[in-house]
Amino acid sequence: KHVTHKASGKVIMKNPKKKLSLQTKKNVLTIFRNVFNYLVEDYEQFKDFNFNPATKILKKLNDDYKNKKNDEIAYESLTHRLKITSHKDMLNIVRKIYQEITKLAQPKLNKNGKEVFITADMYKTKAYFFASLMCARRISELQRIDNEDINKDFIFVKAKKSKNNKADEYPLPPEVLELINLEDKHPLKIAYGTANRNWHNIKEAIGMSDKEIRQYDFRALFVSTMEKFFDRYSLGLCISHISGDNVKSNDFYFAITPEKKRQIFQKYWELLRSPIED
């Protein structure tokens, strides 16, 4: 239920139980199914392991997913979870997160009054969070970014590295470019534990530790914040979210240029950098 410090016993990270979406459950079970299949096939070493328990559960989840008839099964929207009622409320949340990210890897003193040494990993963590918030990217995609994918201030994502198997590109803000080390093979890759720990600290700092908001919600924050200024289709394409009719989606996908994406993201970055409104 939580993580405690070995010596002091103090709770350093709370892990409240979350309502998982059916898709998340299916993704986890798919991994287990592959493991169990390996055990079943390796007769010499696991001869007593002759069935795959994940298969039956996965079939049930697939059936539930196809037959869902109400909103209780679907994951609630961000505005519903946070009880957000205005565009200003949404803006203030992203601005608070942005301001806390700027405080990462900042010089500070320990309990003995000595300045804490800032490691390269701390700068990398800061760059990761800036990219996650300001580019509205999936966590897994940022982890796979190769330094060869970066050209000046743009990232060009290869199809094999994207969730929907489509090549994509998006601009990087100055906040990221100032921090990343292009000699590092994976300049934005950090441990999931590091990401979770820092995200917990950010939530606590902005007074939302008890709210159901995830790093993945940075994508929803981007779209919900920018819908006031741009059409939903352009915003969807900026975060590589393609749905509906494949032909129409693909036609529109190739209609948006990198310059248009830059325009949209630069407007978003300006909003993020602005002061929190009363």
Side-chain angles (χ1 to χ4, degrees):
K1 294 182 180 179
H2 52 256
V3 178
T4 57
H5 190 274
K6 288 183 179 180
S8 66
K10 180 182 177 181
V11 176
I12 57 177
M13 187 167 69
K14 296 179 181 178
N15 294 310
K17 184 177 180 181
K18 297 179 181 179
K19 180 180 179 182
L20 300 177
S21 68
L22 277 172
Q23 188 59 50
T24 298
K25 294 177 182 178
K26 285 173 61 180
N27 291 343
V28 173
L29 270 172
T30 298
I31 296 171
F32 279 116
R33 183 181 59 177
N34 291 336
V35 173
F36 288 133
N37 279 341
Y38 172 78
L39 299 180
V40 171
E41 292 170 3
D42 192 342
Y43 181 77
E44 291 298 322
Q45 192 169 356
F46 302 99
K47 59 182 179 181
D48 295 327
F49 201 101
N50 54 16
F51 72 101
N52 188 336
T55 301
K56 186 176 181 180
I57 303 173
L58 190 61
K59 182 180 183 305
K60 181 180 183 301
L61 283 179
N62 280 326
D63 291 341
D64 289 344
Y65 191 77
K66 292 177 183 178
N67 300 325
K68 62 180 181 180
K69 298 179 180 179
N70 55 58
D71 293 333
E72 293 180 3
I73 295 178
Y75 199 73
E76 294 169 343
S77 68
L78 182 64
T79 52
H80 187 85
R81 281 180 275 138
L82 301 184
K83 297 180 174 62
I84 298 172
T85 58
S86 70
H87 185 258
K88 185 178 77 172
D89 291 340
M90 184 73 73
L91 265 177
N92 280 340
I93 289 174
V94 291
R95 285 169 176 163
K96 288 178 181 177
I97 295 172
Y98 174 85
Q99 289 184 10
E100 288 305 316
I101 295 174
T102 63
K103 297 176 185 177
L104 295 176
Q106 289 275 341
K108 59 182 178 180
L109 303 179
N110 61 21
K111 61 181 180 180
N112 297 321
K114 293 184 178 181
E115 188 171 308
V116 176
F117 177 71
I118 302 175
T119 65
D121 285 343
M122 293 170 70
Y123 286 115
K124 193 173 184 178
T125 297
K126 186 174 184 177
Y128 160 84
F129 271 100
F130 269 137
S132 182
L133 176 68
M134 302 181 77
C135 302
R137 308 310 300 181
R138 297 179 178 93
I139 298 171
S140 59
E141 287 182 4
L142 291 178
Q143 300 282 4
R144 292 194 292 267
I145 292 299
D146 191 303
N147 54 9
E148 295 179 356
D149 301 331
I150 302 174
N151 182 22
K152 295 181 180 179
D153 62 344
F154 254 82
I155 284 184
F156 292 84
V157 184
K158 297 181 178 66
K160 63 182 180 181
K161 293 182 181 180
S162 68
K163 182 179 178 181
N164 53 28
N165 295 319
K166 292 185 180 296
D168 194 14
E169 67 283 323
Y170 55 88
L172 282 175
E175 286 88 337
V176 174
L177 295 170
E178 291 172 0
L179 293 166
I180 58 174
N181 177 11
L182 291 179
E183 294 183 1
D184 187 341
K185 180 68 173 174
H186 299 286
L188 292 171
K189 184 177 182 179
I190 65 173
Y192 280 96
T194 301
N196 290 334
R197 182 174 64 256
N198 281 276
W199 175 232
H200 168 76
N201 293 338
I202 290 171
K203 284 180 63 178
E204 193 169 51
I206 64 176
M208 301 188 73
S209 57
D210 60 335
K211 303 296 184 181
E212 197 172 356
I213 177 172
R214 311 157 297 168
Q215 290 180 64
Y216 191 83
D217 288 321
F218 288 174
R219 294 165 62 76
L221 285 169
F222 167 76
V223 174
S224 299
T225 300
M226 298 302 291
E227 56 85 24
K228 185 177 181 179
F229 309 99
F230 298 95
D231 64 272
R232 59 180 297 186
Y233 302 105
S234 295
L235 295 176
L237 295 174
C238 279
I239 61 173
S240 308
H241 192 272
I242 302 171
S243 60
D245 183 86
N246 287 332
V247 176
K248 292 181 180 178
S249 294
N250 285 336
D251 284 344
F252 196 89
Y253 184 85
F254 289 107
I256 189 170
T257 62
E259 287 82 3
K260 178 68 173 180
K261 287 185 179 180
R262 189 194 298 276
Q263 177 191 356
I264 294 172
F265 277 112
Q266 285 181 337
K267 175 65 177 178
Y268 183 51
W269 300 340
E270 289 173 8
L271 292 172
L272 287 177
R273 296 169 186 141
S274 301
I276 296 170
E277 299 179 34
D278 294 328

